[in-house]
């Protein structure tokens, strides 16, 4: 059997549908973010990155760099093993303590990524709690969906951001069954924010556990960067808060926070934690330095919010359609996969603007978009250049505008 031919047929179908992904080969320039060197011969050598999840530019922070360099010099590079077998470093423990404090929880547990923390934690909870039911928001991230699938627990999908539908679904479940309500704070593709208080109140009324994914909110919202749950004063009412170190904190890794017994339970049974090499100590130290800094500094958050508002206002003036949401994520809607990829290519080639086209399966077919994430380090001139470029392309490609 010609397996390569089978692979090729499916790849050709992806290309025909406009959903084949091409990676932009970039080299981030420390001290110059959001600028990067491009290795794509059809684009300018220097481009501006408009779709990074390094939301606050902490990946180049001197505070973070100094912490990482210091620990490399004192501890070396890798952790040397799994957390169970020689891999638990003092810097892991310090970081877990910092994360527990961030969310006002008793304990925290580190993972190698936010994807793994969701997959491992939901998979463990669903499989180890007898007769459990996981109630999942219909827009939850793939990592949460995979964790629920892996658990083999009964799954109930409730309408996106709809506490009333959640209430109906919970009422239909026997009161003696363990129930886990899984949802996000900021949804990464549409940039909408969940009605968290209403969801928590519904879950509490049915004695259900709440599982909150804060990956696109930690560092960015709340007085200390504890996310939407901190901003709304709800952290203590949520059973488990999951987050990432790879977005606003500028490094990599994922985590959960909760009670000591909950974190110990996940630590003891989650295969995605038990059987993987621990984060490098330097990464843990860099993440901790970033968290400590953003707990006390509002400068980065306020500057980011200012630039987000400027881009939104300028897009409105130009009639460029974008989703109206209260977050830092600005999806400019194209609604066609081929045209979305074409616009992305032209922006890169002719204007030195890098924004990745977001197509199926990341978003439903017919909702293709360019997703912009302004940082505090994008200048007013960067925003002007972007909006001017979009304005020209909207004319050239005859894309509908929003009429004020």
């Amino acid at each position: 059997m010609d397996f390569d031919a089978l692979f090729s047929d499916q790849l050709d179908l992806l290309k025909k549908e406009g959903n084949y992904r091409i990676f932009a080969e970039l080299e981030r320039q420390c001290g110059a973010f959001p600028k990067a060197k491009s290795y794509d011969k059809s684009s300018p050598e220097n481009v501006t990155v408009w779709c990074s999840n390094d939301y606050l530019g902490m990946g180049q922070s001197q505070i973070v760099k100094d912490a990482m360099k210091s620990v490399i010099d004192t501890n070396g590079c890798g952790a040397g093993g799994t957390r169970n077998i020689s891999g638990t470093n003092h810097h892991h423990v310090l970081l877990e303590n910092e994360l527990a404090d961030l969310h006002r929880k008793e304990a925290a547990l580190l993972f190698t990524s936010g994807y793994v923390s969701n997959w491992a934690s939901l998979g463990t909870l669903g499989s180890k709690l007898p007769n459990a039911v996981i109630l999942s928001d219909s827009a939850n991230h793939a990592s949460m969906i995979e964790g629920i699938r892996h658990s083999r627990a009964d799954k109930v999908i409730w309408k996106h951001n709809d506490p009333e539908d959640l209430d109906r679904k919970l009422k239909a479940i026997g009161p003696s069954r363990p129930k886990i309500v899984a949802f996000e704070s900021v949804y990464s593709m549409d940039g909408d924010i969940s009605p968290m208080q209403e969801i928590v109140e519904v879950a509490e009324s049915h004695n259900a556990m709440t599982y909150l994914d804060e990956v696109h909110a930690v560092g960015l919202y709340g007085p200390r960067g504890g996310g939407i749950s901190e901003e709304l004063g709800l952290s203590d009412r949520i059973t488990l808060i999951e987050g990432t170190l790879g977005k606003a904190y500028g490094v990599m890794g994922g985590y959960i926070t909760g009670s000591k017994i909950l974190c110990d339970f996940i630590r003891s049974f989650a295969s995605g934690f038990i059987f993987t090499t621990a984060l490098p100590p330097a990464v843990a130290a860099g993440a901790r330095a970033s968290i400590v800094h953003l707990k006390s500094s509002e400068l980065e958050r306020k500057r980011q919010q200012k630039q987000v508002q400027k881009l939104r206002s300028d897009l409105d003036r130009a009639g460029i359609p974008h989703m109206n949401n209260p977050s830092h994520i600005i999806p400019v809607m194209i609604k066609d996969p081929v045209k979305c990829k074409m616009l992305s290519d032209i922006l890169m080639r002719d204007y030195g603007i890098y924004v990745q086209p977001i197509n199926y399966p990341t978003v439903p077919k017919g909702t293709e978009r360019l997703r912009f994430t302004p940082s505090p380090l994008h200048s007013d001139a960067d925003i002007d250049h972007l909006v001017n470029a979009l304005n020209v392309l909207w004319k050239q490609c005859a894309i509908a505008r929003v009429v004020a």
Side-chain angles (χ1 to χ4, degrees):
M1 182 173 286
D2 187 348
F3 287 102
D4 279 355
L6 295 175
F7 302 148
S8 182
D9 287 345
Q10 295 197 42
L11 289 170
D12 287 343
L13 181 60
L14 268 185
K15 292 173 184 176
K16 183 179 178 181
E17 293 174 340
N19 293 322
Y20 182 73
R21 301 177 186 216
I22 297 173
F23 296 159
E25 184 180 353
L26 304 175
E27 186 176 340
R28 282 157 59 98
Q29 304 294 300
C30 189
F33 181 81
K35 309 300 180 185
K37 180 179 180 181
S38 172
Y39 286 85
D40 183 346
K41 290 183 172 55
S42 66
S43 75
E45 183 176 3
N46 295 304
V47 301
T48 303
V49 178
W50 271 103
C51 53
S52 175
N53 284 340
D54 187 0
Y55 290 137
L56 300 178
M58 293 301 291
Q60 65 172 15
S61 163
Q62 193 63 47
I63 294 167
V64 176
K65 290 192 298 176
D66 287 347
M68 294 185 72
K69 288 176 183 177
S70 173
V71 173
I72 285 177
D73 288 342
T74 57
N75 288 199
C77 295
T82 65
R83 289 289 297 273
N84 185 48
I85 304 176
S86 84
T88 294
N89 187 279
H90 180 55
H91 294 284
H92 296 134
V93 177
L94 291 175
L95 175 54
E96 286 173 339
N97 291 340
E98 202 67 59
L99 288 164
D101 175 78
L102 175 67
H103 294 292
R104 305 298 191 192
K105 297 294 187 185
E106 291 180 346
L109 189 67
L110 282 173
F111 292 84
T112 49
S113 73
Y115 189 102
V116 174
S117 56
N118 269 333
W119 174 81
S121 300
L122 281 167
T124 301
L125 290 167
S127 64
K128 289 295 182 181
L129 293 177
N131 206 25
V133 183
I134 303 178
L135 296 100
S136 178
D137 184 289
S138 62
N140 276 344
H141 189 263
S143 58
M144 301 175 80
I145 294 168
E146 286 298 321
I148 296 166
R149 182 181 295 138
H150 177 71
S151 78
R152 299 186 180 179
D154 287 345
K155 174 181 68 175
V156 174
I157 306 297
W158 47 286
K159 293 177 185 176
H160 178 52
N161 281 350
D162 189 337
E164 292 182 359
D165 188 53
L166 173 62
D167 187 48
R168 286 191 292 270
K169 299 289 172 62
L170 281 164
K171 283 177 180 175
I173 301 169
S176 64
R177 299 187 68 180
K179 294 173 280 292
I180 304 163
V181 174
F183 65 107
E184 302 181 37
S185 57
V186 178
Y187 286 85
S188 63
M189 288 300 116
D190 288 355
D192 54 333
I193 296 177
S194 64
M196 193 177 297
Q197 180 159 337
E198 292 91 333
I199 291 169
V200 169
E201 288 173 352
V202 168
E204 288 175 342
S205 72
H206 294 277
N207 197 29
M209 171 183 173
T210 42
Y211 183 109
L212 173 64
D213 176 320
E214 284 265 36
V215 297
H216 290 276
V218 289
L220 302 172
Y221 300 91
R224 303 190 313 150
I228 302 297
S229 55
E230 182 192 37
E231 187 171 274
L232 298 177
L234 294 169
S235 301
D236 62 329
R237 295 172 63 183
I238 295 167
T239 316
L240 183 153
I241 298 176
E242 183 266 353
T244 185
L245 306 170
K247 293 182 171 61
Y249 293 123
V251 284
M252 70 169 291
Y255 65 87
I256 62 167
T257 64
S259 68
K260 287 183 180 178
I261 196 72
L262 170 59
C263 290
D264 194 24
F265 178 79
I266 302 297
R267 180 191 73 87
S268 299
F269 290 109
S271 62
F273 175 83
I274 295 168
F275 297 107
T276 192
T277 301
L279 283 174
V283 171
R288 179 169 175 252
S290 185
I291 293 164
V292 169
H293 174 74
L294 290 174
K295 278 180 177 178
S296 61
S297 175
E298 285 285 340
L299 180 66
E300 294 83 1
R301 286 190 280 273
K302 287 182 177 177
R303 171 68 179 171
Q304 186 210 31
Q305 291 160 10
K306 178 175 177 289
Q307 297 310 86
V308 167
Q309 188 53 51
K310 174 174 169 53
L311 178 55
R312 285 191 187 280
S313 298
D314 289 359
L315 290 172
D316 286 340
R317 278 193 289 273
I320 305 296
H322 61 95
M323 278 194 171
N324 183 22
N325 63 56
S327 78
H328 59 284
I329 294 166
I330 305 178
V332 169
M333 305 307 292
I334 310 300
K335 301 183 180 181
D336 178 278
V338 174
K339 192 170 284 189
C340 195
K341 176 69 167 61
M342 178 185 71
L343 288 172
S344 171
D345 289 344
I346 296 171
L347 285 169
M348 185 78 151
R349 183 192 68 215
D350 296 348
Y351 297 94
I353 291 169
Y354 170 55
V355 57
Q356 188 72 12
I358 307 294
N359 293 344
Y360 179 84
T362 305
V363 295
K365 291 180 179 179
T367 68
E368 293 81 11
R369 67 202 61 187
L370 301 174
R371 174 183 175 274
F372 296 95
T373 53
S375 78
L377 300 173
H378 283 91
S379 68
D380 289 354
D382 289 331
I383 294 174
D384 292 343
H385 179 57
L386 170 62
V387 175
N388 289 337
L390 290 173
N391 200 25
V392 171
L393 292 182
W394 247 245
K395 290 177 183 176
Q396 290 179 348
C397 300
I399 303 174
R401 294 179 187 263
V402 177
V403 179

